[in-house]
């Protein structure tokens, strides 16, 4: 087995890190059609406005847009159809109980290829208030400023 992890990022939900406190991350598979996988290989996927719900003991992702494959003709599926997430039953039960009891939200973070399989990282998250968002923006600005000063300082040496 190779030591390096072979994975290629397809899409990322950067807004999730801005809008939520990420508590716990899970890796899940996605049930897809063949033309959807080909479209993902071309990088045609968007996680904007997508969300995850648990219905009847199964996890589904809604609003994930996978563009139709150009050569797919009649085999193409609806780009916004709900897709089943492949998780263990105990993981689904744990996520469902956290959402019910603690008021968490389940958000998709990124879609990627793990070797030849399409995987998605989902997270239990709590929503940020406006002041939390301002605080994280200020923290990022301070970090960027420090990196900039460090870079300038090292260039002059």
């Amino acid at each position: 087995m190779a030591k390096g992890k072979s994975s290629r990022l397809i899409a990322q939900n950067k807004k999730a890190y801005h809008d939520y406190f990420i508590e716990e991350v899970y890796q899940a598979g996605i049930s897809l059609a063949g033309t959807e996988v080909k479209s993902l290989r071309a990088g045609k996927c968007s996680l904007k406005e997508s969300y995850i719900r648990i219905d009847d003991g199964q996890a589904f992702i809604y609003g994930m847009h996978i563009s139709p494959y150009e050569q797919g003709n009649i085999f193409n599926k609806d780009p916004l159809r709900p897709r089943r997430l492949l998780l263990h039953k105990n993981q689904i039960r744990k996520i469902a109980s956290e959402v019910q009891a603690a008021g968490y939200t389940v958000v998709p973070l990124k879609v990627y290829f793990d070797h030849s399989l399409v995987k998605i990282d989902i997270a239990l998250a709590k929503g940020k208030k406006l002041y939390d968002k301002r605080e994280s923006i200020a923290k990022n600005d301070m970090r960027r400023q420090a990196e900039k000063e460090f870079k300038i300082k090292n260039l002059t040496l």
Side-chain angles (χ1 to χ4, degrees), residues 25-132:
V25 179
Y26 295 94
Q27 181 186 48
I30 309 174
S31 181
L32 297 171
T35 55
E36 290 176 324
V37 175
K38 289 181 180 185
S39 188
L40 286 175
R41 288 202 187 280
K44 297 185 176 180
C45 176
S46 174
L47 286 177
K48 290 179 183 170
E49 305 300 321
S50 62
Y51 59 97
I52 296 167
R53 278 197 350 217
I54 296 177
D55 300 326
D56 299 328
Q58 294 184 356
F60 291 92
I61 184 165
Y62 294 89
M64 180 175 147
H65 187 277
I66 298 177
S67 298
Y69 184 58
E70 286 90 22
Q71 288 85 32
N73 58 37
I74 61 169
F75 300 108
N76 280 330
K77 303 286 186 190
D78 179 29
L80 291 173
R81 75 181 178 93
R83 293 167 180 91
R84 197 175 116 202
L85 298 180
L86 307 173
L87 289 161
H88 293 286
K89 283 184 184 178
N90 59 356
Q91 289 177 324
I92 293 173
R93 271 190 248 119
K94 182 179 179 186
I95 291 170
S97 66
E98 291 286 339
V99 167
Q100 289 286 324
Y104 282 101
T105 306
V106 186
V107 295
L109 297 178
K110 62 182 176 178
V111 178
Y112 56 94
F113 280 106
D114 186 14
H115 298 286
S116 64
L117 302 174
V118 179
K119 299 289 185 175
I120 184 169
D121 279 354
I122 62 174
L124 278 173
K126 280 220 184 236
K128 285 185 180 179
K129 303 282 189 238
L130 183 61
Y131 58 85
D132 291 328

